[in-house]
Amino acid sequence: MNEGYITINFNLVSGVFIQRLNRFMALVEVDGKIALAHLPNSGRLRTVLCSGAPVYLRAIGDNPSRKSAYTIFSIKRGDIMIIVDAQFSNFLAKESINLGLFEDLLGYRVVKENFKLSDGFNARLDLMLEKFSDRFYIEVKSVTHVVDNVALFPDAPTLRGRQHVLQLISLLRRGFKSGLIFSVQRPDAKLMRPNVKIDLQFTKLLRKAADEGLRIFTLKSTFNPPKTIKIEANKPPFTF
């Protein structure tokens, strides 16, 4: 079995996307009123954001520490519903592991999330898995950029992504298993590739890591509002 279903445990409200204001803020329309919304994705999102597109939002309510009352969860571009929330990718990856969708990760359990190691790298890793005395380190990358049915990562140069791959290589050389999950959060992708035109160095490092034993996984998510997400392991297939 390489597919499963998740029911999200939070409520969403519908709205309309108006425009991106800066890296993490956007204007939306909800019930005929213009409102600020947090955009939890630092990518360029050129094949995602579209003025006038329907969006689903998490309503945050009154919170004096926030500028916005909403967080954008998904946006519909044409007929394609895209989960734009990059932070949600960790949850999708964790659920796929718990459901046993990846054959190579069967029997592992998530024991730590969003953590730092004392290995000289400043970046945090997403998941630490264990199976008895065996340990597996996983980094998750949210993918929303698709061109001609090919999912591409990154959609902007990613120093952080390069640092993560270097850290995973370091772990491999120390005898640990490590892997990277590309969480493709839209259903129209038929293939997954590193975006060599945007970040050649990331592509080179990823190929080097794969040559040294890094496991590369893909996970496709299809959101069916308001609550259901279908997840499919090893889709779309990855290639360099």
Side-chain angles (χ1 to χ4, degrees):
M1 181 185 73
N2 70 340
E3 66 179 52
Y5 291 86
I6 297 170
T7 301
I8 59 176
N9 61 0
F10 48 84
N11 294 323
L12 296 170
V13 297
S14 59
V16 177
F17 182 82
I18 298 176
Q19 69 177 95
R20 189 178 198 169
L21 298 176
N22 55 43
R23 196 178 186 192
F24 293 114
M25 294 296 291
L27 285 179
V28 296
E29 181 181 323
V30 181
D31 294 331
K33 297 179 180 179
I34 306 300
L36 282 173
H38 173 54
L39 179 60
N41 195 311
S42 62
R44 291 175 177 168
L45 304 178
R46 289 175 178 168
T47 63
V48 178
L49 302 180
C50 181
S51 181
V55 289
Y56 279 91
L57 311 136
R58 295 197 208 194
I60 305 303
D62 293 330
N63 186 337
S65 66
R66 283 181 57 116
K67 295 180 180 179
S68 57
Y70 300 97
T71 293
I72 299 175
F73 179 73
S74 69
I75 185 167
K76 189 174 185 180
R77 180 154 181 154
D79 295 328
I80 307 300
M81 184 64 76
I82 305 162
I83 299 174
V84 73
D85 186 347
Q87 299 168 7
F88 195 67
S89 59
N90 280 18
F91 174 79
L92 293 169
K94 186 171 70 170
E95 288 301 297
S96 70
I97 293 166
N98 290 339
L99 289 170
L101 302 189
F102 293 109
E103 184 176 351
D104 289 349
L105 300 179
L106 284 174
Y108 283 94
R109 60 189 180 92
V110 177
V111 296
K112 193 176 288 189
E113 301 178 52
N114 190 29
F115 58 94
K116 282 187 177 182
L117 294 170
S118 301
D119 57 358
F121 290 90
N122 193 40
R124 291 178 177 270
L125 286 175
D126 288 320
L127 302 173
M128 181 194 294
L129 315 181
E130 286 185 354
K131 181 168 65 174
F132 304 112
S133 60
D134 195 15
R135 187 170 290 177
F136 208 128
Y137 292 96
I138 297 285
E139 178 61 21
V140 184
K141 295 300 180 189
S142 171
V143 183
T144 56
H145 185 53
V146 171
V147 178
D148 296 330
N149 299 116
V150 179
L152 299 165
F153 181 90
D155 77 342
T158 174
L159 175 60
R160 184 168 175 266
R162 286 176 239 143
Q163 290 174 337
H164 279 138
V165 176
L166 286 170
Q167 187 171 18
L168 294 172
I169 291 173
S170 174
L171 287 165
L172 287 167
R173 291 175 178 175
R174 290 161 54 197
F176 294 106
K177 294 178 180 178
S178 67
L180 193 151
I181 297 176
F182 286 110
S183 178
V184 182
Q185 295 172 192
R186 52 189 292 173
D188 56 330
K190 296 180 180 178
L191 196 66
M192 173 74 219
R193 292 182 185 271
N195 198 342
V196 62
K197 292 182 179 179
I198 291 294
D199 198 325
L200 175 61
Q201 188 62 23
F202 175 83
T203 303
K204 288 181 176 179
L205 285 172
L206 187 63
R207 187 184 291 274
K208 179 179 178 62
D211 289 343
E212 296 200 26
L214 180 77
R215 295 306 314 272
I216 299 175
F217 305 95
T218 55
L219 181 68
K220 182 191 283 191
S221 300
T222 303
F223 176 41
N224 297 303
K227 290 283 188 179
T228 305
I229 301 173
K230 180 182 180 181
I231 51 175
E232 299 173 273
N234 304 314
K235 290 186 179 180
F238 176 86
T239 183
F240 281 100

